[in-house]
Amino acid sequence: MSHMQWQGYLRKDGRKGIRNYITVVYLVECAHHVAREITSRFKEHPVQLIGFAGCYPNAYADRVMNSLCTHPNVGAVLLISLGCESFDRKKLEENIRQSGRPVNSIVIQEAGGTRKAINDGVRWVDWCSGIIGNTMMVPMTVNDLVVGTVCGGSDATSGITANPAVGLAFNKLVANKGIAIFEETGEMIGLEEVMSSRAVNPQLAIELKKSVEKAARYYSAMGHGSFAPGNADGGLTTIEEKSMGAYCKSGDCQISGLIKPGDRPVQPGLYLMDVVPDGEPKFGFPNINDTVEIVEMISSGCHIILFTTGRGSVVGSAISPVIKICANPQTYRRMEEDMDINAGGILTGETTLRDTGEKIFEGILAVASGIPTCSEGLGHQEFMLSYKTFTPLGPGCLPV
């Protein structure tokens, strides 16, 4: 790898990936065990497990799953179906095939039960490993990358170390024609005017403001906000304080668009992802856990996720590597094995905000070139896909 160029995996749909996974996908919870058993036979190989637990997927779950199965980091897909769930597996299989990826479906009821389905799956994955091993490698640069950011286990240090450092890394990523995505509209409450002033056009400014106002209404209706007891234990006092810290992750570039899970930006720039469902609350809290947010970012094409934490988090993800950026120096000392970058050094005087932002940017390039993150090395592959409802946005919010 040169400083700004490395080798990536060219997909037949023209996109480029930084990993080359075979993804085993269960399409209902009843098929989870079979899919897990197949994946477990390949622990030392690039084989990962994802899935949808519900028997009745809605448009959101279907769209996200289709996006994940054709993600640039995915080289091939094995679908595991019980046989009587409502997921449109044939359409999903056809979409994957049209993207140029090897794909196969195993229906447990037709295969003859658990053991036979597992054996069929193991044989296919073993065969497919040789196929994707011959994937064409091509040069990649920063302008091929899509990078997302989330925060979890925030404390009073998050907004003054890790989050603004990510903002600086995002500034450099966008300056080099990459795509950067931030989210958590429920943690931007009170900042809607400030954020909307950065929009590239007046229509987008209105929609950015509306997305935060929607989040405030949604949380009010649920009787719950994006502020956990752990945040208070870590020294945060109000949602406004947490919001200011979370907002820092976006840097200070102009905002190019507003997207929803599964939307894929095609132009360089900075994008806000609205993860709060549209309409009346139907499916409970919009952010059940950090993993849901990570999955939604991956569904919009993120090759890498930057995860900032003050209290400490150990989650990684399937499909796209997670770079952990620790805001608190004490947490870093306790959990160093799980953390990639010590932003807490800003507080102790060991480094500066600018240097940490540069280190995060260099970390993005290193991980893109194939260097594993801490969570990858530890085997983390967390995944969760839930129910939500979204209404498409107009073209002024997602530039074509």
Side-chain angles (χ1 to χ4, degrees), residues 47-66:
V47 179
Q48 294 194 339
L49 174 68
I50 68 172
F52 178 69
C55 195
Y56 303 96
N58 63 354
Y60 158 82
D62 183 82
R63 184 182 192 212
V64 169
M65 186 59 79
N66 273 270

Side-chain angles (χ1 to χ4, degrees), residues 363-400:
I364 292 170
L365 301 183
V367 171
S369 72
I371 302 299
T373 65
C374 289
S375 62
E376 285 184 290
L378 291 165
H380 283 282
Q381 297 179 18
E382 283 78 4
F383 182 90
M384 185 173 183
L385 175 56
S386 60
Y387 285 100
K388 288 186 180 182
T389 301
F390 288 99
T391 302
L393 286 160
C397 300
L398 180 61
V400 176

Side-chain angles (χ1 to χ4, degrees), residues 261-285:
D263 289 335
R264 183 162 59 90
V266 294
Q267 288 187 352
L270 175 68
Y271 295 80
L272 172 66
M273 176 178 283
D274 179 6
V275 301
V276 176
D278 292 320
E280 295 301 315
K282 296 179 182 178
F283 303 116
F285 303 141

Side-chain angles (χ1 to χ4, degrees), residues 65-355:
M65 186 59 79
N66 273 270
S67 296
L68 295 169
C69 289
T70 55
H71 189 279
N73 289 351
V74 173
V77 180
L78 176 62
L79 303 176
I80 307 297
S81 161
L82 176 61
C84 54
E85 72 277 359
S86 297
F87 212 112
D88 189 348
R89 65 176 183 275
K90 291 183 179 179
K91 181 62 174 175
L92 176 59
E93 181 177 348
E94 180 59 25
N95 290 341
I96 297 167
R97 183 170 288 110
Q98 287 180 0
S99 77
R101 291 162 174 79
V103 59
N104 186 36
S105 293
I106 292 175
V107 180
I108 299 168
Q109 292 169 347
E110 296 174 4
T114 298
R115 197 181 307 278
K116 291 179 180 179
I118 292 170
N119 291 338
D120 288 349
V122 169
R123 280 193 295 270
W124 189 85
V125 171
D126 189 53
W127 169 82
C128 197
S129 295
I131 300 297
I132 71 164
N134 295 319
T135 302
M136 181 181 293
M137 304 293 289
V138 294
M140 286 186 71
T141 61
V142 176
N143 63 358
D144 293 310
L145 283 179
V146 184
V147 181
T149 186
V150 302
C151 53
S154 300
D155 69 7
T157 68
S158 298
I160 54 178
T161 60
N163 290 355
V166 166
L168 293 179
F170 263 19
N171 289 347
K172 188 165 184 178
L173 181 68
V174 173
N176 283 278
K177 306 302 181 184
I179 293 174
I181 303 175
F182 71 110
E183 49 86 65
E184 296 167 319
T185 48
E187 294 179 10
M188 305 292 175
I189 295 169
L191 295 167
E192 51 269 34
E193 295 289 349
V194 177
M195 184 165 59
S196 62
S197 70
R198 295 166 56 192
V200 294
N201 61 58
Q203 180 185 350
L204 177 59
I206 293 170
E207 295 298 333
L208 290 173
K209 185 177 178 182
K210 285 167 123 180
S211 71
V212 179
E213 292 171 343
K214 177 186 70 171
R217 289 194 303 272
Y218 194 103
Y219 280 119
S220 177
M222 294 300 300
H224 173 81
S226 185
F227 192 92
N231 297 145
D233 291 343
L236 288 171
T237 60
T238 61
I239 185 60
E240 289 81 7
E241 183 182 7
K242 185 178 181 182
S243 294
M244 288 188 287
Y247 177 71
C248 291
K249 299 198 303 297
S250 67
D252 54 20
C253 297
Q254 277 196 308
I255 299 174
S256 298
L258 175 67
I259 65 173
K260 299 185 181 185
D263 289 335
R264 183 162 59 90
V266 294
Q267 288 187 352
L270 175 68
Y271 295 80
L272 172 66
M273 176 178 283
D274 179 6
V275 301
V276 176
D278 292 320
E280 295 301 315
K282 296 179 182 178
F283 303 116
F285 303 141
N287 304 319
I288 300 172
N289 53 47
D290 298 322
T291 298
V292 172
E293 298 171 14
I294 291 172
V295 168
E296 289 177 331
M297 291 220 143
I298 297 171
S299 77
S300 287
C302 287
H303 293 90
I304 294 170
I305 305 296
L306 306 178
F307 190 119
T308 65
T309 183
R311 298 297 303 278
S313 174
V314 299
V315 300
S317 77
I319 299 178
S320 296
V322 172
I323 299 176
K324 288 286 180 39
I325 304 157
C326 189
N328 189 316
Q330 295 178 351
T331 302
Y332 183 82
R333 285 194 292 271
R334 286 196 307 270
M335 302 181 66
E336 186 173 352
E337 188 180 14
D338 287 274
M339 303 297 158
D340 297 280
I341 294 171
N342 178 20
I346 297 167
L347 289 179
T348 60
E350 299 168 72
T351 187
T352 66
L353 186 61
R354 185 173 300 278
D355 286 345

